[in-house]
Amino acid sequence: MAGRKILVIDDSKVIRVRVREMLPPGNFEVLEAKDGKEGLEFVQREHPNLIMLDFLLPKLSGWDVFRQIQADETLRRIPLVLMSGRKEEVTEKISEPFQYFEFIEKPFEKKQLLDAIKSAFQKANLPRQPLPKSGSETSPVPDSVPTPASAASGDAADMAAMKAEMAKMQAEIEALKKQVLQIKTFIQKKLK
């Protein structure tokens, strides 16, 4: 992996430095951008081997940077790791599963970062539908962004998944209540 350029687009200097420190020494040239506008300029000029993109950025949001990258046939092939302190911020705009890029929640540890980078490289190589030719009436929509037609079927699936998750959480709550009752009974017996 020697000589690979990694572009870290994040308004937090702490995150940019942390990524640099977590990468194996000597294998990467780490480029840093402090806002979305600067980051997009770096992407277009440098064509890095990997982009690490914060979702909430000044000047141009990570969402806007993501969409512009996805609208370019060459740029959308660059492995991408989206970063955010709250996954919901990303899933509000881009539905899961994240097929062509990786997501990492901040703060992250070194192993999580390296796993995300490895996964991003694998996902970037997956076959994709070509973008519509320029001049076509339709605007390019990233594969992982729901269209209005798919949103309705996605809503039903989301509701079913949410209900299943709630049922699972309720079962966990009941199990915890039972454990607390057992601990309480045990403590009461010991105190007698």
Side-chain angles (χ1 to χ4, degrees):
M1 282 205 206
R4 291 188 185 261
K5 290 181 190 173
I6 293 184
L7 173 59
V8 183
I9 308 171
D10 199 303
D11 55 329
S12 167
K13 183 165 182 68
V14 172
I15 294 293
R16 297 193 311 264
V17 168
R18 187 158 171 79
V19 168
R20 180 185 300 275
E21 290 173 350
M22 287 181 173
L23 294 171
N27 290 341
F28 305 98
E29 177 187 352
V30 180
L31 307 172
E32 298 179 22
K34 62 187 174 307
D35 60 60
K37 185 175 182 292
E38 182 181 45
L40 190 59
E41 289 168 0
F42 262 118
V43 170
Q44 293 166 336
R45 185 176 63 242
E46 299 287 337
H47 287 265
N49 301 96
L50 172 76
I51 302 166
M52 296 197 62
L53 174 62
D54 185 20
F55 209 65
L56 295 177
L57 292 167
K59 295 190 181 177
L60 187 64
S61 74
W63 167 239
D64 289 331
V65 173
F66 173 82
R67 289 189 321 175
Q68 290 189 44
I69 290 170
Q70 296 305 308
D72 183 293
E73 195 69 57
T74 305
L75 299 180
R76 74 182 190 145
R77 293 274 176 211
I78 299 172
L80 174 67
V81 177
L82 274 183
M83 305 180 290
S84 179
R86 288 183 39 237
K87 191 172 187 176
E88 307 84 55
E89 294 167 343
V90 176
T91 57
E92 283 174 7
K93 303 270 188 193
I94 308 167
S95 62
E96 290 188 86
F98 303 134
Q99 190 172 2
Y100 299 110
F101 66 91
E102 192 52 59
F103 172 81
I104 189 169
E105 194 161 5
K106 297 190 286 186
F108 45 82
E109 298 300 321
K110 182 176 182 173
K111 183 180 182 337
Q112 293 171 304
L113 173 68
L114 297 178
D115 288 347
I117 290 172
K118 182 178 177 184
S119 177
F121 273 96
Q122 292 168 347
K123 289 180 176 186
N125 289 321
L126 294 173
R128 293 193 191 198
Q129 295 292 327
L131 290 173
K133 299 286 183 218
S134 55
S136 117
E137 305 260 330
T138 61
S139 64
V141 176
D143 300 346
S144 57
V145 176
T147 60
S150 69
S153 63
D155 287 347
D158 288 346
M159 285 299 288
M162 229 187 295
K163 285 181 181 179
E165 186 66 25
M166 286 175 59
K168 180 181 165 191
M169 289 170 71
Q170 189 61 44
E172 289 174 1
I173 289 169
E174 294 304 319
L176 287 170
K177 283 181 181 178
K178 188 175 179 181
Q179 288 176 350
V180 167
L181 187 60
Q182 289 172 341
I183 291 170
K184 179 182 172 188
T185 304
F186 174 79
I187 291 172
Q188 286 175 338
K189 285 181 182 178
K190 288 292 183 184
L191 292 176
K192 288 184 179 179

